[in-house]
Amino acid sequence: WCLWQAVQTQWRTAGLGGVIGLDYGEVRKEAADLGIEWNLRTKRKIRALEQMERMRINGGNKQSGDHDG
């Protein structure tokens, strides 16, 4: 939860108010700063939360993001 809260300023935006997804380079840096291991389990959790948030923000319009990592 701490990582999710910490990365809420790391969204990549698309046009007028839509979001594409999180900047995973910054998410990994933030995880390291918090002492959270960046592994497959952590990545899956963040991606699940990211997908739900994108759908909420974009009104259900799924947009694919540039996911590095």
Side-chain angles (χ1 to χ4, degrees):
W1 179 250
C2 292
L3 179 57
W4 179 247
Q5 287 181 312
V7 299
Q8 290 308 296
T9 59
Q10 300 304 321
W11 289 94
R12 293 182 184 226
T13 59
L16 302 170
V19 296
I20 296 172
L22 288 168
D23 179 339
Y24 275 79
E26 293 302 318
V27 173
R28 285 194 313 268
K29 287 179 191 174
E30 192 65 40
D33 289 347
L34 292 169
I36 297 171
E37 183 180 353
W38 184 253
N39 55 31
L40 185 57
R41 183 177 180 197
T42 304
K43 184 178 178 179
R44 284 180 177 164
K45 287 179 179 181
I46 292 295
R47 284 200 171 171
L49 290 165
E50 175 194 35
Q51 181 179 11
M52 296 302 294
E53 190 66 4
R54 271 195 342 249
M55 289 174 63
R56 185 187 70 78
I57 293 170
N58 294 330
N61 181 18
K62 243 178 145 179
Q63 293 184 9
S64 63
D66 199 21
H67 295 296
D68 168 58

